[in-house]
Amino acid sequence: EVQLVESGGGSVQTGGSLRLSCTATGFIFDGAYVAWYRQGPGRGCDLVSKIRQDGTIYYVDSAKDRFIASQDNAKNIVYLQMNNLQPDDTALYFCAASRHDVWVGSIDPCGRFGNWGQGTQVTVSS
């Protein structure tokens, strides 16, 4: 059984930083597609970044220059370093993993396609 667990969320002020982690059991991140999604209050499930199978990384425009996705294959952990956080970044953040490229942009609902964690809450106050 595949299980993904996110951690590292919390409450920060505008301009603060957080590093989210995603650990997996029953799934190897190396060579897989791993995405970070988020769902803010009253919003849909939006893609934040995606590590492709070849190691290249896609970011949505709002995450470029602020967020950095990475993975430690030795530890089988994926990270999302988030800097200069803004109130609009407030959301429940999910990691998702699949052997196939199944995510393109926003999806409905969160949890559709691939394997997902339960999410970690990020709250940014002004």
Side-chain angles (χ1 to χ4, degrees), residues 12-49:
V12 297
Q13 292 188 325
T14 297
S17 297
L18 287 171
R19 188 177 77 160
L20 307 184
S21 299
C22 177
T23 59
T25 54
F27 191 94
I28 303 298
F29 287 134
D30 190 9
Y33 294 87
V34 186
W36 286 97
Y37 270 87
R38 67 184 181 186
Q39 186 162 31
R43 297 184 176 182
C45 192
D46 297 324
L47 180 65
V48 177
S49 73

Side-chain angles (χ1 to χ4, degrees), residues 49-95:
S49 73
K50 181 171 65 177
I51 301 175
R52 299 185 185 93
Q53 198 174 40
D54 62 1
T56 59
I57 305 174
Y58 165 81
Y59 298 95
V60 296
D61 286 345
S62 61
K64 288 179 183 176
D65 300 324
R66 298 191 301 130
F67 294 4
I68 302 171
S70 62
Q71 64 184 73
D72 184 331
N73 291 331
K75 297 180 179 180
N76 202 37
I77 300 176
V78 173
Y79 301 101
L80 184 66
Q81 175 68 43
M82 304 189 297
N83 301 316
N84 191 22
L85 284 161
Q86 302 297 312
D88 277 351
D89 296 317
T90 294
L92 185 62
Y93 283 73
F94 300 91
C95 72

Side-chain angles (χ1 to χ4, degrees), residues 86-110:
Q86 302 297 312
D88 277 351
D89 296 317
T90 294
L92 185 62
Y93 283 73
F94 300 91
C95 72
S98 174
R99 291 291 166 203
H100 307 285
D101 192 4
V102 295
W103 309 290
V104 180
S106 299
I107 61 173
D108 181 26
C110 279

